[in-house]
């Protein structure tokens, strides 16, 4: 009976979409940055009653009354920013769990933002990990999002995985467990964020757009929705720091770009798990996205 059970387990794993292991990128930027205690680097921004701390794990909760969010104490002009996150299983449609850089409070209507967002789903369907870059735009002005969405090669509800952003003067790199999944290069200053930003995390109701373009909403019969964060990593050049500061490197090549091995790992991720690329969307006006 052992062989049929093993076969059944293999088929279940394959059907869930989590049957692949990522190739080694050969370089692990998260290991280059020490863990930062939450209470030393962050403050609660909103929803303090919907935030719990147990040892080194910060839990954010969303219910019908409120979500919750936090913000770094310092702003940065470049650096490496990450956290290990565990998502909730089951019905999470309409829920947005995020880790992102932004200066929206300092530049309302004209802000920069670099996003990692987990878009909730229904049982049996995978989370979407959405990456996005805004440059001088928000909801009350001309919004030019640069969204790329991925499924994942593992179940993000079963364990903590590390998600991070490296932002230096030449490039932005998005990583999942140190595997680069996307780069955004500085082709000119007009379409690259250069002003200082803070690191944020949050859970909130994004029913208008998060799941199947807003078709499926948050259902508070399943509340509270939770997201767990730990292993925070912040290292870089603060806005008030020395002009000679050098941010952490994206690769063993320093800040000259990714290595060939990292490029190969990113190509694997995009080939197998990329589900939306704004540059390939025929409905978009690409005169506004010249990098495409």
């Amino acid at each position: 009976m052992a062989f049929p059970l093993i076969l059944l387990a293999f088929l279940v794993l394959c059907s869930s979409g989590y049957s692949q292991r990522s190739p080694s990128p050969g370089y692990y930027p998260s290991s280059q940055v020490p863990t930062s205690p939450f209470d030393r680097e962050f403050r609660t921004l909103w929803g303090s009653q919907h935030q719990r701390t147990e040892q080194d794990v910060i839990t954010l909760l969303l219910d019908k009354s409120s979500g919750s969010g936090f913000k770094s104490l310092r702003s940065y002009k470049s650096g490496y920013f990450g956290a290990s996150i565990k998502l909730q299983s089951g019905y999470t449609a309409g829920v947005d769990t995020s880790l992102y850089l932004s200066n929206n409070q300092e530049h309302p209507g004209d802000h920069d933002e670099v996003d990692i967002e987990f878009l909730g789903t229904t049982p049996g369907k995978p989370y979407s990990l959405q990456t996005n870059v805004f440059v001088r735009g928000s909801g009350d002005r001309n919004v030019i999002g640069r969204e790329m969405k991925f499924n994942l090669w593992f179940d993000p509800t079963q364990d903590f995985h590390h998600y991070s952003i490296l932002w230096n003067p030449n490039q932005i790199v998005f990583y999942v467990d140190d595997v680069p999944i996307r780069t955004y290069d500085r082709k000119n200053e007009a379409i690259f964020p250069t002003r200082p930003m803070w690191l944020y995390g949050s859970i909130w109701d994004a029913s208008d757009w998060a799941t199947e373009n807003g078709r499926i909403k948050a259902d508070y019969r399943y509340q509270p929705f939770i997201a767990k964060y730990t292993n925070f990593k912040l290292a870089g050049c603060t806005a008030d720091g020395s002009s000679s500061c050098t941010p952490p490197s994206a690769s063993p090549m320093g800040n000259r770009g990714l290595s060939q091995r990292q490029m190969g790992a990113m190509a694997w991720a995009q080939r197998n798990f990329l589900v939306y690329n704004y540059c390939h969307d025929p409905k978009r006006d690409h005169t506004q996205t010249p990098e495409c």
Side-chain angles (χ1 to χ4, degrees):
M1 294 297 293
F3 178 73
L5 289 175
I6 292 171
L7 178 60
L8 177 60
F10 175 77
L11 291 174
V12 168
L13 181 64
C14 290
S15 64
S16 69
Y18 303 127
S19 58
Q20 298 194 49
R21 295 186 63 182
S22 62
S24 169
Y27 181 76
Y28 301 89
S30 67
S31 68
Q32 311 297 312
V33 178
T35 297
S36 297
F38 180 85
D39 57 1
R40 193 180 74 193
E41 296 290 351
F42 295 93
R43 65 178 176 88
T44 299
L45 186 61
W46 58 287
S48 59
Q49 299 302 313
H50 289 69
Q51 196 171 117
R52 295 196 306 253
T53 303
E54 300 174 31
Q55 295 182 336
D56 297 325
V57 177
I58 311 302
T59 300
L60 303 186
L61 298 91
L62 167 67
D63 62 22
K64 201 166 187 177
S65 66
S66 179
S68 185
F70 57 81
K71 178 184 180 181
S72 64
L73 294 174
R74 296 181 291 175
S75 63
Y76 296 81
K77 52 191 176 182
S78 61
Y80 176 89
F81 312 92
S84 295
I85 302 172
K86 183 180 179 182
L87 302 174
Q88 179 168 308
S89 60
Y91 188 105
T92 56
V95 177
D96 183 302
T97 301
S98 65
L99 183 75
Y100 63 101
L101 296 166
S102 181
N103 49 34
N104 63 314
Q105 292 179 293
E106 285 59 42
H107 304 287
D110 187 35
H111 78 278
D112 309 296
E113 192 166 304
V114 181
D115 296 330
I116 292 175
E117 299 176 282
F118 302 94
L119 309 183
T121 187
T122 54
K125 294 185 178 180
Y127 271 89
S128 291
L129 186 157
Q130 175 169 281
T131 63
N132 203 354
V133 179
F134 288 99
V135 182
R136 296 182 180 271
S138 72
D140 52 356
R141 294 205 181 171
N142 186 30
V143 180
I144 304 175
R146 293 170 167 85
E147 304 93 342
M148 290 177 66
K149 294 181 185 180
F150 298 80
N151 292 335
L152 293 166
W153 50 94
F154 53 83
D155 184 347
T157 72
Q158 295 301 301
D159 204 351
F160 285 95
H161 291 267
H162 200 74
Y163 307 92
S164 54
I165 299 164
L166 192 142
W167 169 42
N168 64 40
N170 303 313
Q171 188 178 58
I172 295 167
V173 185
F174 297 87
Y175 299 90
V176 175
D177 287 338
D178 288 312
V179 174
I181 62 169
R182 176 187 180 182
T183 59
Y184 181 81
D185 297 330
R186 180 175 180 169
K187 297 186 176 179
N188 65 67
E189 188 168 335
I191 58 170
F192 193 87
T194 57
R195 297 177 297 181
M197 292 190 279
W198 285 255
L199 181 64
Y200 294 79
S202 65
I203 187 169
W204 57 288
D205 186 333
S207 290
D208 288 349
W209 61 272
T211 306
E212 297 187 19
N213 295 318
R215 188 179 70 83
I216 306 178
K217 314 293 185 183
D219 187 338
Y220 287 99
R221 291 178 299 176
Y222 300 98
Q223 71 177 24
F225 303 103
I226 66 171
K228 295 179 179 291
Y229 295 73
T230 191
N231 193 26
F232 293 95
K233 307 268 187 173
L234 293 86
C237 303
T238 57
D240 57 358
S242 168
S243 59
S244 62
C245 174
T246 301
S249 61
S251 79
M253 301 171 61
N255 288 323
R256 293 175 292 162
L258 299 181
S259 68
Q260 287 297 314
R261 194 167 178 182
Q262 287 177 303
M263 292 291 289
M266 184 170 68
W268 171 86
Q270 295 192 1
R271 183 171 61 250
N272 291 288
F273 300 101
L274 179 65
V275 295
Y276 176 82
N277 184 341
Y278 73 104
C279 281
H280 300 159
D281 187 342
K283 298 178 182 178
R284 296 287 299 264
D285 176 6
H286 292 295
T287 62
Q288 296 185 315
T289 53
E291 70 277 9
C292 292

